[in-house]
């Protein structure tokens, strides 16, 4: 009898506990299941986006080879509007910018570089876009905008940014500031990068003492 009463007491305790906490348990399980389902759905969406963006990037490469400027611009626009969260978007922006620039479409190239500078997920692409955009602004004689684009670069890009800053300052006839920028570029450049070092040294020497 004692065993029976113990079992009955345990059952009653379980019932009482479930009555008090059952709703919390059920809702916790529902939340966990919804979160897991949402995570799987998001992963599926990301994979789908990546596949479709990859196909579109392949079309871009074909258009670049064919020198089809209009198609390059259209694909770049589609990539940025539909697949901006994928790595292909930043790759597309830089490739499209180069293609459009080679075709003489400076405004189109500038727009692509501006998009990449603001939206690229990978910092390497972002900084490269800023560097190239500064070059476009230099060609347009928008010197202040170019210098602003070159402000506060991350350490790995300090040499390239300093070199481009020197180019802008030369265009502004600010020789002393340009010399300082080129010297900084030399100081930051890898000692093994002899080609780039010689190029920067040549520009520094051209400014005179």
């Amino acid at each position: 009898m004692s065993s029976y009463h113990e079992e009955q007491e345990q059952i009653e305790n379980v019932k009482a506990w479930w009555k008090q906490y059952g709703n919390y348990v059920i809702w916790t399980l529902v939340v966990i299941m919804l979160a897991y389902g949402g995570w799987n759905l998001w992963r599926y969406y990301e994979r789908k986006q990546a596949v479709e963006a990859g196909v579109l990037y392949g079309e871009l490469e074909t258009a670049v080879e064919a020198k089809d400027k209009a198609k390059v611009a259209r694909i770049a626009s589609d990539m940025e509007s539909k697949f901006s969260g994928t790595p292909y978007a930043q790759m597309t922006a830089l490739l499209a910018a180069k293609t459009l620039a080679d075709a003489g479409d400076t405004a189109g190239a500038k727009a692509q570089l501006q998009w990449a500078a603001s939206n690229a997920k990978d910092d390497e692409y972002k900084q490269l876009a800023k560097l190239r955009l500064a070059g476009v602004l230099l060609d347009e004689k928008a010197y202040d905008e170019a210098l602003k684009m070159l402000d506060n670069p991350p350490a790995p890009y300090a040499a390239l940014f300093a070199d481009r800053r020197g180019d802008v300052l030369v265009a502004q006839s600010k020789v002393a500031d340009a010399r300082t920028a080129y010297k900084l570029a030399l100081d930051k450049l890898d000692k093994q990068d002899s080609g780039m070092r010689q190029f920067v040294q040549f520009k520094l020497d051209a400014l005179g003492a």
Side-chain angles (χ1 to χ4, degrees), residues 116-131:
S118 300
N119 299 283
K121 305 297 183 184
D122 190 306
D123 194 54
E124 182 177 355
Y125 283 94
K126 183 184 289 289
Q127 301 308 324
L128 183 57
K130 287 183 178 181
L131 189 65

Side-chain angles (χ1 to χ4, degrees), residues 45-61 64 72 74-97 112 115-116 119-122 125-126:
Y45 173 77
E46 283 189 324
R47 289 195 295 270
K48 183 174 180 291
Q49 286 282 96
V51 169
E52 292 179 0
V55 172
L56 190 59
Y57 187 78
E59 293 179 14
L60 174 69
E61 292 179 318
V64 169
V72 167
R74 179 182 61 76
I75 291 174
S77 177
D78 288 346
M79 187 73 82
E80 290 160 13
S81 63
K82 298 176 181 178
F83 307 109
S84 61
T86 69
Y88 289 105
Q90 58 195 11
M91 294 163 59
T92 294
L94 290 185
L95 180 55
Q112 291 302 315
W115 187 92
N119 299 283
K121 305 297 183 184
D122 190 306
Y125 283 94
K126 183 184 289 289

Side-chain angles (χ1 to χ4, degrees), residues 146-206:
L147 290 174
K148 185 178 180 180
M149 190 62 56
L150 297 167
D151 279 343
N152 304 314
Y157 311 96
L160 294 176
F161 275 60
D163 174 59
R164 184 56 52 86
R165 176 178 288 276
D167 296 342
V168 177
L169 292 168
V170 167
Q172 290 182 299
S173 299
K174 297 180 179 180
V175 177
D177 291 338
R179 187 180 293 111
T180 299
Y182 288 139
K183 287 180 178 178
L184 176 61
L186 285 173
D187 182 60
K188 297 294 184 180
L189 275 170
D190 190 326
K191 296 295 189 293
Q192 304 301 318
D193 192 354
S194 58
M196 185 65 186
R197 292 183 66 83
Q198 289 177 1
F199 183 56
V200 175
Q201 187 65 57
F202 173 80
K203 289 190 284 186
L204 182 59
D205 293 341

